[in-house]
Amino acid sequence: IGQRQEGLMSLNSTAFSHPPYFLLTGIPGLEEEQFWIAFPFCIMYGITLLGNITLLLVIKAEPSLHEPMFLFLAMLAFTDLVLSTSTLPKMLSIFWLGFGEIGFLSCLTQMFFIHAFSTVESGVLTAMALDRFVAICCPLRHSSILSVPVVVALASLVLGRGVLLVSPACLLLHRRRFCRQRVIAHSYCEHMALVKLACGDTGANAAYGLSVALLVTGTDLALISVSYAVILRVVARLPSREARLKAFSTCTSHVCVILAFYTPALFTFLAHRFGQGVPPPAHILVANLYLLVPPTLNPIVYGVRTKKLWDRVVIL
């Protein structure tokens, strides 16, 4: 009897523990098509690497670009590189080679980088909105308000916020046991996809993830909206049409980047929690594009629309 009880305990501890690996399926419902979907994804990843690395090198090499706007842009480029590299190589191996296995700790690590640096990117976009606000509303005091130490402090705050908010979600999942199937119907390790595989009551995990998403998105979008509301008010009062157009043009690039980031982010967030009617292929495809489109577009939008930066790129 004792041996039988020990055997049952051993079986239970094995069944209710961390699995050695999970199996990422890619895009559910598009298993046949995802081989071809991987080609545009690979091209976009190549553009992401080339564009963002070029931005970082140009900003580092050119002292005249060591201004708040370009320092924030450099941080955005670094964040985009981390986000895309955390997901795309593994995603391409799933689509082309069928290598969907990912170790438990590797899965948690990927989840941490995805969610932490998505939070960082949102914070950087908010900091860039603050920079545009100061540049247009207080142009004579811009350099004194947003000095290099202030920019470094803001960057540290944005990075620290991402790490501190996402780390508890990873720790909570690490403490849970997984007794269900190991298959993740996704292309990467996403928080809610992992929560759904955990044993027992996962309400605390889901509530924490929802709270963080609402806090980050709500706070940052509110600050961005207030900044641009004041900017529009100030620009509308400028005396000449040329001055108004110039002021608007300095914000256009940032607005395009904001839309490219938050539109798929909000769709993914709402579909995960409230969009039971959204087809899984559409949901997963948008979730993939959410981590790929902004990193691809950001260097193109800023490189083309920012003359000072474009001139330096052309010289190189």
Side-chain angles (χ1 to χ4, degrees), residues 64-298:
S64 66
L65 297 179
H66 295 174
E67 302 173 357
M69 172 183 169
F70 297 106
L71 294 177
F72 287 133
L73 182 56
M75 188 173 180
L76 185 68
F78 174 76
T79 303
D80 285 338
L81 286 173
V82 173
L83 270 178
S84 56
T85 303
S86 297
T87 54
L88 259 295
K90 181 61 181 177
M91 197 182 297
L92 293 176
S93 74
I94 297 170
F95 292 173
W96 276 336
L97 305 174
F99 292 164
E101 289 188 8
I102 183 169
F104 177 78
L105 291 179
S106 298
C107 192
L108 280 187
T109 302
Q110 186 188 58
M111 188 193 89
F112 170 79
F113 276 101
I114 290 170
H115 291 291
F117 279 86
S118 293
T119 302
V120 169
E121 177 140 355
S122 181
V124 173
L125 293 176
T126 305
M128 294 175 83
L130 174 65
D131 172 67
R132 293 300 84 205
F133 168 80
V134 176
I136 292 175
C137 300
C138 310
L140 299 179
R141 299 173 57 200
H142 181 252
S143 58
S144 60
I145 294 175
L146 287 178
S147 60
V148 173
V150 172
V151 172
V152 172
L154 282 173
S156 301
L157 179 64
V158 166
L159 181 60
R161 183 186 71 160
V163 172
L164 290 175
L165 288 178
V166 175
S167 294
C170 298
L171 293 174
L172 284 171
L173 274 175
H174 188 269
R175 294 180 60 184
R176 299 207 68 89
R177 298 187 182 277
F178 293 79
C179 52
R180 299 171 190 168
Q181 60 177 347
R182 299 172 181 176
V183 177
I184 301 176
H186 212 301
S187 304
Y188 54 83
C189 292
E190 198 269 342
H191 178 250
M192 283 305 299
L194 280 174
V195 168
K196 291 175 181 177
L197 300 182
C199 306
D201 183 11
T202 57
N205 301 75
Y208 184 79
L210 179 62
S211 299
V212 169
L214 290 175
L215 175 66
V216 171
T217 307
T219 301
D220 291 352
L221 280 178
L223 290 173
I224 291 171
S225 299
V226 170
S227 297
Y228 274 99
V230 177
I231 287 172
L232 289 173
R233 186 177 178 184
V234 171
V235 170
R237 294 177 177 178
L238 293 176
S240 67
R241 183 172 179 272
E242 290 75 14
R244 290 194 295 271
L245 290 176
K246 184 178 179 180
F248 276 127
S249 67
T250 63
C251 299
T252 304
S253 301
H254 187 232
V255 172
C256 292
V257 169
I258 288 172
L259 292 175
F261 177 77
Y262 281 109
T263 302
L266 289 173
F267 176 86
T268 302
F269 169 74
L270 294 173
H272 236 314
R273 288 158 178 85
F274 312 111
Q276 286 77 17
V278 178
H283 177 202
I284 303 302
L285 193 58
V286 172
N288 292 341
L289 293 175
Y290 158 60
L291 295 180
L292 187 57
V293 171
T296 304
L297 288 181
N298 291 350

